[in-house]
Amino acid sequence: MKDARADFFRTNLKVLLLCAALVLAGCAPVISTENAEDLAWLKTYPIAAKKSWGDTAWQHNNDGKFFVSGFVQNLDGTISGFAYEWDVRNENGTKYDWLSMDGQYFPGTPITCLAVSPDEKRIALGTLVGPVILWDVNASNSAEDVYYLEGHTEAVKAVAWSPDGKLIASGGYDNTVRVWNVSQEVHSGVEPLQETLRLDTNYKVQSISFAPEGEILIFGTEGGVAAIDLATNEVILDVSGKPLAQLGHSLTWSPDKTTMAAGSFDGKVFFFTFEEGRFSQNVDLIEVSKSGSILALDYSPDATMLVLAYPNMIHVWDLETAKTIKRFSAGEDLFFSSVSWSPDGRYIAVTYSDGTLRIIGIE
């Protein structure tokens, strides 16, 4: 699979979604914000003393528990990171203090993104300095429980687990996508904790995800969205180039895994239908807001709503009525960096740049 290092964006492969250009050429439907209610915070937790960037991920089967991580700029100009396990029923989260490779404690590495393994035993943390940290959260706090997947030379913006928990995919500002074998078995001739695939792109990678069966890897860049069949290295989706380059900022899957939503740099959401292991040529495009880039988005567990985080605005959008039903504006010089819906549908976790973690209650 190492042969995939060649710049796949230059390969002369058939583009399956030419119709997307036709959609963009027309006028995208605009979501109504009329009568939208202002959001009220159910709970607010201080996680950093100063302005920060954070990301959240709920545990899949434990309602009310989730992980939050990120980084903060210190008064002396240095940047340090943090990682917590949180429970909405408690006022304080459990902080993780990770170790260096020689077993010594050290100030937290700046964390840019995280993902929880399907069995909830491990978390993958992308860092501002390159390595992906793999953490066994249920083991004793020792250097043997923390692994470093080294390869990225710049910040890692996105990490994702394969559905079987055997692979981690990461994408970074070094214009690469990397896949790591994190099982205890040799995978495609690659030993555990080693890089099994690398893709070079022309753009910084912003988002990444595996398809439901794990056979397809999808990623969004500043140049668009692409997908590769991991078994054959075939590019099966390439939606790139102007004006399509605006759609690769964030990705999320519907609960039934039949639709992938992609947030754009200019406030639009693209919906890709996934059928029989392939993306169809039907792409829906909705303009939700002109508030700027969609930094994060997530479906409600019943697939009736979508929450979107813009730099200074949150929208909760009703998919059936095509209306924004709730919204919240950030304060001056502040922004939202992540949103994620709890598995029971009762809460939305939000990281806010004022150093707080906030919870929205959904009735």
Side-chain angles (χ1 to χ4, degrees), residues 81-112:
F82 56 83
Y84 290 90
E85 184 178 18
W86 219 281
D87 189 324
V88 294
R89 295 163 293 187
N90 299 329
E91 292 302 317
N92 296 303
T94 301
K95 186 176 182 179
Y96 288 97
D97 293 315
W98 53 92
L99 304 173
S100 64
M101 292 183 215
D102 59 3
Q104 301 298 313
Y105 286 100
F106 67 105
T109 300
I111 303 300
T112 53

PDB file of all heavy atoms in Angstrom, residues 81-112:
ATOM      1  N   GLY A  81      -1.146  21.505  26.447  1.00  0.00           N
ATOM      2  CA  GLY A  81      -2.397  20.831  26.152  1.00  0.00           C
ATOM      3  C   GLY A  81      -3.071  20.277  27.384  1.00  0.00           C
ATOM      4  O   GLY A  81      -2.520  20.278  28.483  1.00  0.00           O
ATOM      5  N   PHE A  82      -4.288  19.772  27.182  1.00  0.00           N
ATOM      6  CA  PHE A  82      -5.036  19.157  28.273  1.00  0.00           C
ATOM      7  C   PHE A  82      -5.922  18.053  27.712  1.00  0.00           C
ATOM      8  O   PHE A  82      -6.275  18.046  26.527  1.00  0.00           O
ATOM      9  CB  PHE A  82      -5.883  20.197  29.017  1.00  0.00           C
ATOM     10  CG  PHE A  82      -6.833  20.971  28.138  1.00  0.00           C
ATOM     11  CD1 PHE A  82      -8.078  20.467  27.786  1.00  0.00           C
ATOM     12  CD2 PHE A  82      -6.477  22.223  27.659  1.00  0.00           C
ATOM     13  CE1 PHE A  82      -8.944  21.187  26.983  1.00  0.00           C
ATOM     14  CE2 PHE A  82      -7.333  22.955  26.840  1.00  0.00           C
ATOM     15  CZ  PHE A  82      -8.567  22.437  26.508  1.00  0.00           C
ATOM     16  N   ALA A  83      -6.249  17.097  28.557  1.00  0.00           N
ATOM     17  CA  ALA A  83      -7.175  16.021  28.206  1.00  0.00           C
ATOM     18  C   ALA A  83      -7.938  15.631  29.459  1.00  0.00           C
ATOM     19  O   ALA A  83      -7.338  15.403  30.513  1.00  0.00           O
ATOM     20  CB  ALA A  83      -6.430  14.819  27.630  1.00  0.00           C
ATOM     21  N   TYR A  84      -9.266  15.561  29.346  1.00  0.00           N
ATOM     22  CA  TYR A  84     -10.123  15.212  30.467  1.00  0.00           C
ATOM     23  C   TYR A  84     -11.126  14.147  30.044  1.00  0.00           C
ATOM     24  O   TYR A  84     -11.517  14.069  28.875  1.00  0.00           O
ATOM     25  CB  TYR A  84     -10.944  16.416  30.948  1.00  0.00           C
ATOM     26  CG  TYR A  84     -10.191  17.515  31.626  1.00  0.00           C
ATOM     27  CD1 TYR A  84      -9.660  18.572  30.893  1.00  0.00           C
ATOM     28  CD2 TYR A  84     -10.037  17.539  33.010  1.00  0.00           C
ATOM     29  CE1 TYR A  84      -8.990  19.611  31.506  1.00  0.00           C
ATOM     30  CE2 TYR A  84      -9.368  18.581  33.643  1.00  0.00           C
ATOM     31  CZ  TYR A  84      -8.848  19.616  32.884  1.00  0.00           C
ATOM     32  OH  TYR A  84      -8.188  20.642  33.502  1.00  0.00           O
ATOM     33  N   GLU A  85     -11.545  13.357  31.019  1.00  0.00           N
ATOM     34  CA  GLU A  85     -12.765  12.570  30.872  1.00  0.00           C
ATOM     35  C   GLU A  85     -13.818  13.249  31.725  1.00  0.00           C
ATOM     36  O   GLU A  85     -13.567  13.572  32.889  1.00  0.00           O
ATOM     37  CB  GLU A  85     -12.560  11.125  31.325  1.00  0.00           C
ATOM     38  CG  GLU A  85     -13.796  10.259  31.090  1.00  0.00           C
ATOM     39  CD  GLU A  85     -13.576   8.813  31.503  1.00  0.00           C
ATOM     40  OE1 GLU A  85     -12.622   8.561  32.268  1.00  0.00           O
ATOM     41  OE2 GLU A  85     -14.360   7.952  31.094  1.00  0.00           O
ATOM     42  N   TRP A  86     -14.997  13.479  31.147  1.00  0.00           N
ATOM     43  CA  TRP A  86     -16.007  14.268  31.840  1.00  0.00           C
ATOM     44  C   TRP A  86     -17.325  13.493  31.919  1.00  0.00           C
ATOM     45  O   TRP A  86     -17.613  12.648  31.081  1.00  0.00           O
ATOM     46  CB  TRP A  86     -16.251  15.582  31.101  1.00  0.00           C
ATOM     47  CG  TRP A  86     -16.446  16.741  32.033  1.00  0.00           C
ATOM     48  CD1 TRP A  86     -17.578  17.068  32.718  1.00  0.00           C
ATOM     49  CD2 TRP A  86     -15.475  17.711  32.395  1.00  0.00           C
ATOM     50  NE1 TRP A  86     -17.375  18.175  33.482  1.00  0.00           N
ATOM     51  CE2 TRP A  86     -16.085  18.603  33.309  1.00  0.00           C
ATOM     52  CE3 TRP A  86     -14.143  17.920  32.051  1.00  0.00           C
ATOM     53  CZ2 TRP A  86     -15.424  19.689  33.863  1.00  0.00           C
ATOM     54  CZ3 TRP A  86     -13.478  18.998  32.599  1.00  0.00           C
ATOM     55  CH2 TRP A  86     -14.107  19.867  33.485  1.00  0.00           C
ATOM     56  N   ASP A  87     -18.105  13.836  32.929  1.00  0.00           N
ATOM     57  CA  ASP A  87     -19.434  13.270  33.122  1.00  0.00           C
ATOM     58  C   ASP A  87     -20.363  14.438  33.407  1.00  0.00           C
ATOM     59  O   ASP A  87     -20.098  15.222  34.329  1.00  0.00           O
ATOM     60  CB  ASP A  87     -19.431  12.273  34.286  1.00  0.00           C
ATOM     61  CG  ASP A  87     -20.735  11.488  34.402  1.00  0.00           C
ATOM     62  OD1 ASP A  87     -21.804  12.070  34.126  1.00  0.00           O
ATOM     63  OD2 ASP A  87     -20.689  10.304  34.792  1.00  0.00           O
ATOM     64  N   VAL A  88     -21.424  14.590  32.651  1.00  0.00           N
ATOM     65  CA  VAL A  88     -22.304  15.750  32.825  1.00  0.00           C
ATOM     66  C   VAL A  88     -22.987  15.746  34.187  1.00  0.00           C
ATOM     67  O   VAL A  88     -23.552  16.753  34.608  1.00  0.00           O
ATOM     68  CB  VAL A  88     -23.373  15.816  31.712  1.00  0.00           C
ATOM     69  CG1 VAL A  88     -22.741  16.077  30.375  1.00  0.00           C
ATOM     70  CG2 VAL A  88     -24.215  14.555  31.680  1.00  0.00           C
ATOM     71  N   ARG A  89     -22.938  14.608  34.896  1.00  0.00           N
ATOM     72  CA  ARG A  89     -23.549  14.559  36.226  1.00  0.00           C
ATOM     73  C   ARG A  89     -22.608  15.066  37.307  1.00  0.00           C
ATOM     74  O   ARG A  89     -23.019  15.249  38.457  1.00  0.00           O
ATOM     75  CB  ARG A  89     -23.963  13.112  36.540  1.00  0.00           C
ATOM     76  CG  ARG A  89     -25.058  12.590  35.611  1.00  0.00           C
ATOM     77  CD  ARG A  89     -25.170  11.092  35.657  1.00  0.00           C
ATOM     78  NE  ARG A  89     -23.983  10.452  35.091  1.00  0.00           N
ATOM     79  CZ  ARG A  89     -23.893   9.138  34.894  1.00  0.00           C
ATOM     80  NH1 ARG A  89     -24.911   8.352  35.195  1.00  0.00           N
ATOM     81  NH2 ARG A  89     -22.788   8.625  34.373  1.00  0.00           N
ATOM     82  N   ASN A  90     -21.333  15.280  36.967  1.00  0.00           N
ATOM     83  CA  ASN A  90     -20.344  15.757  37.930  1.00  0.00           C
ATOM     84  C   ASN A  90     -19.883  17.159  37.569  1.00  0.00           C
ATOM     85  O   ASN A  90     -19.941  17.581  36.416  1.00  0.00           O
ATOM     86  CB  ASN A  90     -19.125  14.824  37.967  1.00  0.00           C
ATOM     87  CG  ASN A  90     -19.500  13.420  38.396  1.00  0.00           C
ATOM     88  OD1 ASN A  90     -20.432  13.223  39.171  1.00  0.00           O
ATOM     89  ND2 ASN A  90     -18.790  12.438  37.875  1.00  0.00           N
ATOM     90  N   GLU A  91     -19.407  17.885  38.555  1.00  0.00           N
ATOM     91  CA  GLU A  91     -18.941  19.242  38.334  1.00  0.00           C
ATOM     92  C   GLU A  91     -17.505  19.292  37.832  1.00  0.00           C
ATOM     93  O   GLU A  91     -17.069  20.273  37.252  1.00  0.00           O
ATOM     94  CB  GLU A  91     -19.066  20.053  39.632  1.00  0.00           C
ATOM     95  CG  GLU A  91     -20.508  20.314  40.040  1.00  0.00           C
ATOM     96  CD  GLU A  91     -21.296  21.064  38.959  1.00  0.00           C
ATOM     97  OE1 GLU A  91     -20.743  22.011  38.380  1.00  0.00           O
ATOM     98  OE2 GLU A  91     -22.442  20.667  38.691  1.00  0.00           O
ATOM     99  N   ASN A  92     -16.740  18.239  38.076  1.00  0.00           N
ATOM    100  CA  ASN A  92     -15.330  18.232  37.702  1.00  0.00           C
ATOM    101  C   ASN A  92     -14.994  16.993  36.878  1.00  0.00           C
ATOM    102  O   ASN A  92     -15.470  15.897  37.176  1.00  0.00           O
ATOM    103  CB  ASN A  92     -14.436  18.270  38.941  1.00  0.00           C
ATOM    104  CG  ASN A  92     -14.610  19.557  39.726  1.00  0.00           C
ATOM    105  OD1 ASN A  92     -14.420  20.640  39.196  1.00  0.00           O
ATOM    106  ND2 ASN A  92     -14.994  19.435  40.984  1.00  0.00           N
ATOM    107  N   GLY A  93     -14.175  17.178  35.855  1.00  0.00           N
ATOM    108  CA  GLY A  93     -13.745  16.044  35.062  1.00  0.00           C
ATOM    109  C   GLY A  93     -12.472  15.431  35.624  1.00  0.00           C
ATOM    110  O   GLY A  93     -11.806  15.987  36.492  1.00  0.00           O
ATOM    111  N   THR A  94     -12.140  14.255  35.114  1.00  0.00           N
ATOM    112  CA  THR A  94     -10.905  13.570  35.500  1.00  0.00           C
ATOM    113  C   THR A  94      -9.822  13.941  34.497  1.00  0.00           C
ATOM    114  O   THR A  94      -9.941  13.663  33.307  1.00  0.00           O
ATOM    115  CB  THR A  94     -11.105  12.045  35.514  1.00  0.00           C
ATOM    116  OG1 THR A  94     -12.137  11.720  36.439  1.00  0.00           O
ATOM    117  CG2 THR A  94      -9.814  11.353  35.911  1.00  0.00           C
ATOM    118  N   LYS A  95      -8.760  14.569  34.970  1.00  0.00           N
ATOM    119  CA  LYS A  95      -7.700  15.012  34.084  1.00  0.00           C
ATOM    120  C   LYS A  95      -6.682  13.906  33.881  1.00  0.00           C
ATOM    121  O   LYS A  95      -6.309  13.213  34.815  1.00  0.00           O
ATOM    122  CB  LYS A  95      -6.996  16.248  34.657  1.00  0.00           C
ATOM    123  CG  LYS A  95      -5.966  16.847  33.699  1.00  0.00           C
ATOM    124  CD  LYS A  95      -5.374  18.121  34.256  1.00  0.00           C
ATOM    125  CE  LYS A  95      -4.376  18.728  33.269  1.00  0.00           C
ATOM    126  NZ  LYS A  95      -3.800  19.990  33.767  1.00  0.00           N
ATOM    127  N   TYR A  96      -6.253  13.745  32.643  1.00  0.00           N
ATOM    128  CA  TYR A  96      -5.211  12.773  32.321  1.00  0.00           C
ATOM    129  C   TYR A  96      -3.868  13.481  32.231  1.00  0.00           C
ATOM    130  O   TYR A  96      -3.719  14.480  31.520  1.00  0.00           O
ATOM    131  CB  TYR A  96      -5.512  12.077  30.997  1.00  0.00           C
ATOM    132  CG  TYR A  96      -6.658  11.114  31.073  1.00  0.00           C
ATOM    133  CD1 TYR A  96      -7.930  11.490  30.675  1.00  0.00           C
ATOM    134  CD2 TYR A  96      -6.478   9.824  31.571  1.00  0.00           C
ATOM    135  CE1 TYR A  96      -8.997  10.611  30.742  1.00  0.00           C
ATOM    136  CE2 TYR A  96      -7.545   8.941  31.653  1.00  0.00           C
ATOM    137  CZ  TYR A  96      -8.790   9.339  31.234  1.00  0.00           C
ATOM    138  OH  TYR A  96      -9.840   8.471  31.322  1.00  0.00           O
ATOM    139  N   ASP A  97      -2.891  12.996  32.967  1.00  0.00           N
ATOM    140  CA  ASP A  97      -1.522  13.497  32.879  1.00  0.00           C
ATOM    141  C   ASP A  97      -0.692  12.459  32.147  1.00  0.00           C
ATOM    142  O   ASP A  97      -0.432  11.383  32.681  1.00  0.00           O
ATOM    143  CB  ASP A  97      -0.938  13.739  34.275  1.00  0.00           C
ATOM    144  CG  ASP A  97      -1.648  14.868  34.996  1.00  0.00           C
ATOM    145  OD1 ASP A  97      -1.883  15.908  34.354  1.00  0.00           O
ATOM    146  OD2 ASP A  97      -1.959  14.702  36.182  1.00  0.00           O
ATOM    147  N   TRP A  98      -0.322  12.739  30.910  1.00  0.00           N
ATOM    148  CA  TRP A  98       0.400  11.728  30.158  1.00  0.00           C
ATOM    149  C   TRP A  98       1.900  11.822  30.380  1.00  0.00           C
ATOM    150  O   TRP A  98       2.409  12.783  30.926  1.00  0.00           O
ATOM    151  CB  TRP A  98       0.048  11.743  28.681  1.00  0.00           C
ATOM    152  CG  TRP A  98       0.177  13.036  27.976  1.00  0.00           C
ATOM    153  CD1 TRP A  98       1.249  13.510  27.311  1.00  0.00           C
ATOM    154  CD2 TRP A  98      -0.852  14.020  27.822  1.00  0.00           C
ATOM    155  NE1 TRP A  98       0.968  14.724  26.746  1.00  0.00           N
ATOM    156  CE2 TRP A  98      -0.313  15.074  27.043  1.00  0.00           C
ATOM    157  CE3 TRP A  98      -2.168  14.112  28.251  1.00  0.00           C
ATOM    158  CZ2 TRP A  98      -1.054  16.194  26.687  1.00  0.00           C
ATOM    159  CZ3 TRP A  98      -2.890  15.231  27.907  1.00  0.00           C
ATOM    160  CH2 TRP A  98      -2.344  16.246  27.141  1.00  0.00           C
ATOM    161  N   LEU A  99       2.568  10.800  29.944  1.00  0.00           N
ATOM    162  CA  LEU A  99       3.983  10.632  30.232  1.00  0.00           C
ATOM    163  C   LEU A  99       4.812  10.721  28.959  1.00  0.00           C
ATOM    164  O   LEU A  99       4.334  10.448  27.866  1.00  0.00           O
ATOM    165  CB  LEU A  99       4.235   9.263  30.886  1.00  0.00           C
ATOM    166  CG  LEU A  99       3.439   8.963  32.165  1.00  0.00           C
ATOM    167  CD1 LEU A  99       3.667   7.520  32.567  1.00  0.00           C
ATOM    168  CD2 LEU A  99       3.869   9.883  33.278  1.00  0.00           C
ATOM    169  N   SER A 100       6.057  11.069  29.136  1.00  0.00           N
ATOM    170  CA  SER A 100       6.982  11.016  28.021  1.00  0.00           C
ATOM    171  C   SER A 100       7.375   9.566  27.768  1.00  0.00           C
ATOM    172  O   SER A 100       7.028   8.670  28.535  1.00  0.00           O
ATOM    173  CB  SER A 100       8.238  11.850  28.327  1.00  0.00           C
ATOM    174  OG  SER A 100       8.931  11.286  29.415  1.00  0.00           O
ATOM    175  N   MET A 101       8.098   9.335  26.705  1.00  0.00           N
ATOM    176  CA  MET A 101       8.443   7.961  26.349  1.00  0.00           C
ATOM    177  C   MET A 101       9.377   7.315  27.360  1.00  0.00           C
ATOM    178  O   MET A 101       9.467   6.093  27.432  1.00  0.00           O
ATOM    179  CB  MET A 101       9.065   7.927  24.956  1.00  0.00           C
ATOM    180  CG  MET A 101       8.075   8.275  23.857  1.00  0.00           C
ATOM    181  SD  MET A 101       8.799   8.151  22.210  1.00  0.00           S
ATOM    182  CE  MET A 101       7.963   9.486  21.391  1.00  0.00           C
ATOM    183  N   ASP A 102      10.069   8.135  28.164  1.00  0.00           N
ATOM    184  CA  ASP A 102      10.937   7.545  29.188  1.00  0.00           C
ATOM    185  C   ASP A 102      10.259   7.490  30.555  1.00  0.00           C
ATOM    186  O   ASP A 102      10.892   7.265  31.571  1.00  0.00           O
ATOM    187  CB  ASP A 102      12.256   8.317  29.299  1.00  0.00           C
ATOM    188  CG  ASP A 102      12.045   9.781  29.662  1.00  0.00           C
ATOM    189  OD1 ASP A 102      10.885  10.184  29.880  1.00  0.00           O
ATOM    190  OD2 ASP A 102      13.044  10.519  29.720  1.00  0.00           O
ATOM    191  N   GLY A 103       8.942   7.720  30.567  1.00  0.00           N
ATOM    192  CA  GLY A 103       8.181   7.551  31.796  1.00  0.00           C
ATOM    193  C   GLY A 103       8.106   8.768  32.688  1.00  0.00           C
ATOM    194  O   GLY A 103       7.586   8.689  33.801  1.00  0.00           O
ATOM    195  N   GLN A 104       8.575   9.925  32.228  1.00  0.00           N
ATOM    196  CA  GLN A 104       8.549  11.134  33.042  1.00  0.00           C
ATOM    197  C   GLN A 104       7.322  11.984  32.683  1.00  0.00           C
ATOM    198  O   GLN A 104       6.934  12.095  31.528  1.00  0.00           O
ATOM    199  CB  GLN A 104       9.822  11.960  32.809  1.00  0.00           C
ATOM    200  CG  GLN A 104      11.107  11.212  33.133  1.00  0.00           C
ATOM    201  CD  GLN A 104      11.195  10.819  34.599  1.00  0.00           C
ATOM    202  OE1 GLN A 104      10.936  11.637  35.471  1.00  0.00           O
ATOM    203  NE2 GLN A 104      11.540   9.572  34.862  1.00  0.00           N
ATOM    204  N   TYR A 105       6.713  12.560  33.728  1.00  0.00           N
ATOM    205  CA  TYR A 105       5.605  13.468  33.484  1.00  0.00           C
ATOM    206  C   TYR A 105       6.106  14.741  32.796  1.00  0.00           C
ATOM    207  O   TYR A 105       7.212  15.194  33.026  1.00  0.00           O
ATOM    208  CB  TYR A 105       4.926  13.844  34.800  1.00  0.00           C
ATOM    209  CG  TYR A 105       4.087  12.740  35.385  1.00  0.00           C
ATOM    210  CD1 TYR A 105       4.572  11.952  36.412  1.00  0.00           C
ATOM    211  CD2 TYR A 105       2.819  12.486  34.881  1.00  0.00           C
ATOM    212  CE1 TYR A 105       3.815  10.927  36.946  1.00  0.00           C
ATOM    213  CE2 TYR A 105       2.047  11.461  35.410  1.00  0.00           C
ATOM    214  CZ  TYR A 105       2.541  10.680  36.444  1.00  0.00           C
ATOM    215  OH  TYR A 105       1.779   9.676  36.967  1.00  0.00           O
ATOM    216  N   PHE A 106       5.269  15.341  31.954  1.00  0.00           N
ATOM    217  CA  PHE A 106       5.680  16.570  31.292  1.00  0.00           C
ATOM    218  C   PHE A 106       4.429  17.399  30.994  1.00  0.00           C
ATOM    219  O   PHE A 106       3.310  16.863  30.970  1.00  0.00           O
ATOM    220  CB  PHE A 106       6.446  16.273  30.001  1.00  0.00           C
ATOM    221  CG  PHE A 106       5.622  15.649  28.912  1.00  0.00           C
ATOM    222  CD1 PHE A 106       5.216  16.396  27.814  1.00  0.00           C
ATOM    223  CD2 PHE A 106       5.250  14.309  28.975  1.00  0.00           C
ATOM    224  CE1 PHE A 106       4.458  15.807  26.809  1.00  0.00           C
ATOM    225  CE2 PHE A 106       4.498  13.723  27.965  1.00  0.00           C
ATOM    226  CZ  PHE A 106       4.101  14.484  26.881  1.00  0.00           C
ATOM    227  N   PRO A 107       4.584  18.726  30.809  1.00  0.00           N
ATOM    228  CA  PRO A 107       3.419  19.556  30.500  1.00  0.00           C
ATOM    229  C   PRO A 107       2.716  19.043  29.256  1.00  0.00           C
ATOM    230  O   PRO A 107       3.352  18.610  28.294  1.00  0.00           O
ATOM    231  CB  PRO A 107       4.031  20.946  30.266  1.00  0.00           C
ATOM    232  CG  PRO A 107       5.311  20.912  31.021  1.00  0.00           C
ATOM    233  CD  PRO A 107       5.827  19.499  30.908  1.00  0.00           C
ATOM    234  N   GLY A 108       1.423  19.083  29.259  1.00  0.00           N
ATOM    235  CA  GLY A 108       0.638  18.462  28.200  1.00  0.00           C
ATOM    236  C   GLY A 108       0.998  18.920  26.804  1.00  0.00           C
ATOM    237  O   GLY A 108       1.110  20.111  26.533  1.00  0.00           O
ATOM    238  N   THR A 109       1.202  17.980  25.914  1.00  0.00           N
ATOM    239  CA  THR A 109       1.407  18.286  24.508  1.00  0.00           C
ATOM    240  C   THR A 109       0.140  18.938  23.957  1.00  0.00           C
ATOM    241  O   THR A 109      -0.962  18.472  24.238  1.00  0.00           O
ATOM    242  CB  THR A 109       1.706  16.998  23.723  1.00  0.00           C
ATOM    243  OG1 THR A 109       2.887  16.401  24.245  1.00  0.00           O
ATOM    244  CG2 THR A 109       1.889  17.289  22.245  1.00  0.00           C
ATOM    245  N   PRO A 110       0.241  20.009  23.170  1.00  0.00           N
ATOM    246  CA  PRO A 110      -0.951  20.652  22.616  1.00  0.00           C
ATOM    247  C   PRO A 110      -1.754  19.684  21.754  1.00  0.00           C
ATOM    248  O   PRO A 110      -1.238  19.104  20.803  1.00  0.00           O
ATOM    249  CB  PRO A 110      -0.380  21.799  21.781  1.00  0.00           C
ATOM    250  CG  PRO A 110       0.960  22.063  22.370  1.00  0.00           C
ATOM    251  CD  PRO A 110       1.476  20.739  22.825  1.00  0.00           C
ATOM    252  N   ILE A 111      -3.033  19.498  22.086  1.00  0.00           N
ATOM    253  CA  ILE A 111      -3.902  18.548  21.393  1.00  0.00           C
ATOM    254  C   ILE A 111      -4.837  19.301  20.459  1.00  0.00           C
ATOM    255  O   ILE A 111      -5.454  20.291  20.848  1.00  0.00           O
ATOM    256  CB  ILE A 111      -4.733  17.729  22.403  1.00  0.00           C
ATOM    257  CG1 ILE A 111      -3.810  17.001  23.396  1.00  0.00           C
ATOM    258  CG2 ILE A 111      -5.626  16.733  21.668  1.00  0.00           C
ATOM    259  CD1 ILE A 111      -2.851  16.040  22.765  1.00  0.00           C
ATOM    260  N   THR A 112      -4.950  18.841  19.228  1.00  0.00           N
ATOM    261  CA  THR A 112      -5.788  19.496  18.229  1.00  0.00           C
ATOM    262  C   THR A 112      -7.089  18.756  17.951  1.00  0.00           C
ATOM    263  O   THR A 112      -8.061  19.367  17.503  1.00  0.00           O
ATOM    264  CB  THR A 112      -5.021  19.623  16.910  1.00  0.00           C
ATOM    265  OG1 THR A 112      -4.526  18.321  16.532  1.00  0.00           O
ATOM    266  CG2 THR A 112      -3.846  20.577  17.063  1.00  0.00           C
TER     267      THR A 112
END
